[in-house]
Amino acid sequence: MSAERELWFTGPRRVEVRQGKPLPSLAPGEVKARALHSGISQGTELLLYRDEGPRVFDPSLDTPGTPIYPRRYGYSWVGEIVESRCAEAPVGQRIFALRPHGDVHLLRPEAMRVLPASVPSVRATLAANLETALTVVWDGGIAIGDRVLVLGGGIVGLLVAMLSKGAGAKRVAVVEPSPRRRRAALALGADDVRSPEEDVAQGEFDVVIEATGDPACLDRAIAHAAVEAMVVVASFYGERRSPLALGTEFHRRRLQLKASQVSRIPSHKSARWDTHRRFALVVDYLSDARLDALLDAPVPFAEAPAAMARLDADPGVALQTVFAYP
């Protein structure tokens, strides 16, 4: 019944590590899992931190009128089962869950995914972003021989670049201002990396992925797309707006503009794939040690407010920020 620590977003640019309420006893079928690591989904969590998200911040959780603050958030949590009333989930099993940052969670089997011993806990925090990147690649229809451009070398963009090569893309280019992220793109198999200042749009790519988080970059994405090519919006813009030119290249080249969102399996896959099968594929990718190049040194959970402030001040300096729980 002891209270545990929780991370709370309490207002614009304010987060606190608080003591939570005492936990109830386990119900039949439930487990108690204690945190090992949790990963910050930088794009979405900075929208919340800066109060730049939509007024209904998370439609899967919020009803109209739900205030933005205070709230818990996060969806890349890795823990170990320490108590169990579920026969299929023994004590000692490590699990991944779409749950907020904090010391412990009570979970039912449908809310957690089992992790094999071969996947380190800190690397497993990439699971949510891998699911997102995999869905982006599916939505883009990336195939053998394609020329793919990724705008934005955050974690999702870098993973999309890696998975695009695995899907058979002949050439994968990444445009990203951060030198550190450009080096990470090369380590994951990108063929060409460049800064925005070096980038010249030539209308040559079969699939363009917009993953910068900046809607103003959609014009750049359209300028890079070849005739009848696909532009996939992987970014979540929140309340950000930007004018978009749809009267020239977009119209004459008969381009497709598509939103990608991880909560649904793309329709052309849904007859054979569900979220369980998709996560099983994600676990296969998590065995790739190259992913460790995306992981920054873990930050003690108690230092979460300072970590968020650093990301806010210079988001391009980080790769995957991970909290460690003692």
Side-chain angles (χ1 to χ4, degrees), residues 52-208:
E52 294 177 346
R55 295 304 89 189
V56 179
F57 187 80
D58 189 335
S60 64
L61 300 173
D62 299 346
T63 57
T66 300
I68 301 297
Y69 307 108
R71 75 171 57 221
R72 298 185 66 192
Y73 205 68
Y75 46 80
S76 193
W77 189 88
V78 178
E80 180 179 339
I81 296 173
V82 293
E83 296 180 32
S84 177
R85 295 191 67 187
C86 176
E88 301 84 38
V91 170
Q93 177 66 62
R94 291 181 311 128
I95 55 96
F96 173 86
L98 301 171
R99 287 295 185 269
H101 306 289
D103 280 326
V104 296
H105 284 292
L106 302 186
L107 301 162
R108 299 192 65 82
E110 60 270 19
M112 56 188 177
R113 298 285 187 266
V114 171
L115 295 170
S118 59
V119 176
S121 298
V122 64
R123 192 191 302 162
T125 61
L126 293 168
N129 281 325
L130 265 169
E131 283 190 299
T132 298
L134 177 60
T135 306
V136 170
V137 171
W138 284 346
D139 279 326
I142 294 168
I144 293 172
D146 278 346
R147 296 162 298 182
V148 177
L149 174 67
V150 181
L151 297 178
I155 295 299
V156 170
L158 292 170
L159 291 172
V160 167
M162 183 188 81
L163 295 179
S164 296
K165 289 296 289 186
K170 181 177 179 60
R171 178 186 172 209
V172 175
V174 176
V175 177
E176 163 57 41
S178 164
R180 186 182 181 209
R181 291 178 172 183
R182 293 199 298 270
R183 291 192 296 271
L186 290 172
L188 291 178
D191 302 292
D192 173 25
V193 299
R194 64 190 85 153
S195 69
E197 293 75 22
E198 298 167 325
D199 183 39
V200 178
Q202 297 179 332
E204 60 184 310
F205 289 94
D206 302 294
V207 183
V208 181

